Amino acid sequence: MTDELPDELRAFVAEQRDGEVDRGLRTLPASELGEGDVVVRVECSSVNYKDALATIPKGQVARISPLVPGIDLAGTVIEGAGDFAEGASVLAHGYDIGVAHHGGYAEYARVPAEWVVALPEGLSARQAMAIGTAGFTAALSVARLERHGLSPERGPVLVTGATGGVGSTAVSILAARGYEVMASSGKDSRAYLESLGAADVFGREDVAGDGKPLGKQRWAAAVDSVGGATLAGLLGQIRYGGAVAASGLTAGIEVKATVIPFILRSVALLGVDSGQCPMD
Ligand SMILES: NC(=O)c1ccc[n+]([C@@H]2O[C@H](COP(=O)([O-])OP(=O)(O)OC[C@H]3O[C@@H](n4cnc5c(N)ncnc54)[C@H](OP(=O)(O)O)[C@@H]3O)[C@@H](O)[C@H]2O)c1
């Protein structure tokens, strides 16, 4: 590949047409890459739940059409601006990337300098994207819980959707930080989750609760990327003063819960967003 932006580039494009979405590899004029002062030769991007939503008819994520999906990307700057000189290794994720601005599933991306982060020394583009937005979200979830007071001696921490991107990275991070990690999964995945550091593995129905506002106090905290009835059910199983870091909706967006765990057990529900996360 050259170090200059060519007139045309290859990209995976999703285009909405009459309620359907055409998807596939296309040649895109570089002039259509969108606004921005930094051009990155993309080496890697990751595949996230949101990327799938951006490419299906009722996903409600894509805000432009045609769209190059890919909510994160890492590579080398070929046209620099601000703190990012030509040749710098960088990543960019969140903001409008892959939803309202062409994203990582292309040979090149043009993005505003405010969306760009320098890759730390020792972290390759590939490693950064293996962690990806999902891994970053898992880290934000753990950080939020610890800021709320969580520490390993408080007791077991539940991770729902544990085989997913957010879930699996949360299991790894928590285990590495000395927590007793309880993983919940709808898959037959015990060996995999134990290899990541889970102390025990439960089925989805085992952590769903029994529909009552308060249940047995099982978990000191939970990292939940599943939402829906799962989130509603686990609130009543959090120990006194504990918290749930909620980032996702794979089980649905509606959470039919009561206030009882909040007002009788001082449980906290902490929202986690990676998209507009402040740079610092
Ligand atoms: N807030 C943010 O900034 C942010 C950032 C990244 C992701 N997210 C959200 O977090 C969620 C997970 O993202 P991801 O990248 O980890 O996705 P993913 O890799 O596709 O994993 C999702 C996991 O959810 C579980 N799951 C799927 N369908 C389910 C259902 N009907 N009921 C219960 N569990 C179900 C599965 O785990 P098991 O089979 O192991 O149960 C699956 O592996 C998504 O909703 C995504 O949009 C939010």
Side-chain angles (χ1 to χ4, degrees):
M1 283 199 198
T2 66
D3 274 330
E4 274 181 21
L5 182 63
D7 294 338
E8 292 184 325
L9 52 115
R10 282 179 305 156
F12 177 83
V13 179
E15 183 162 12
Q16 298 174 33
R17 275 186 229 261
D18 307 323
E20 295 296 315
V21 181
D22 279 351
R23 295 172 292 232
L25 274 179
R26 284 195 203 166
T27 300
L28 198 71
S31 57
E32 289 180 16
L33 272 182
E35 297 294 311
D37 38 17
V38 175
V39 178
V40 180
R41 190 179 69 233
V42 179
E43 283 164 46
C44 288
S45 176
S46 67
V47 180
N48 288 274
Y49 195 84
K50 202 171 176 184
D51 297 316
L53 292 180
T55 59
I56 59 172
K58 292 191 176 151
Q60 295 187 306
V61 157
R63 304 210 307 274
I64 56 171
S65 175
L67 169 72
V68 177
I71 61 169
D72 49 30
L73 59 97
T76 306
V77 172
I78 61 160
E79 285 178 29
D83 294 339
F84 308 103
E86 250 179 75
S89 296
V90 297
L91 67 86
H93 75 95
Y95 305 103
D96 288 345
I97 299 171
V99 293
H101 186 104
H102 288 324
Y105 298 170
E107 291 177 295
Y108 298 87
R110 185 188 289 116
V111 289
E114 309 86 75
W115 296 356
V116 180
V117 181
L119 268 181
E121 189 117 353
L123 191 71
S124 69
R126 187 179 176 82
Q127 288 168 326
M129 289 298 103
I131 296 168
T133 299
F136 180 62
T137 304
L140 285 176
S141 302
V142 175
R144 285 222 67 184
L145 291 173
E146 290 189 344
R147 229 174 285 138
H148 184 264
L150 182 66
S151 56
E153 52 284 359
R154 292 286 180 115
V157 178
L158 177 71
V159 177
T160 60
T163 65
V166 176
S168 61
T169 320
V171 171
S172 303
I173 293 173
L174 287 164
R177 291 175 77 74
Y179 289 91
E180 186 186 7
V181 187
M182 301 295 167
S184 131
S185 175
K187 301 187 188 83
D188 180 10
S189 53
R190 175 172 289 276
Y192 169 61
L193 290 168
E194 285 180 350
S195 78
L196 297 182
D200 206 350
V201 179
F202 297 85
R204 286 180 194 163
E205 60 291 346
D206 298 333
V207 300
D210 56 8
K212 295 190 183 131
L214 288 182
K216 193 168 166 236
Q217 299 189 44
R218 298 170 83 188
W219 328 111
V223 173
D224 176 56
S225 62
V226 162
T230 303
L231 173 55
L234 67 84
L235 285 169
Q237 302 175 65
I238 300 294
R239 292 185 183 177
Y240 192 94
V244 179
S247 62
L249 45 67
T250 56
I253 60 167
E254 265 189 47
V255 181
K256 289 188 183 158
T258 76
V259 296
I260 299 300
F262 307 128
I263 64 175
L264 292 188
R265 288 195 181 152
S266 215
V267 168
L269 179 57
L270 310 173
V272 177
D273 168 57
S274 63
Q276 303 291 326
C277 177
M279 273 296 174
D280 57 344

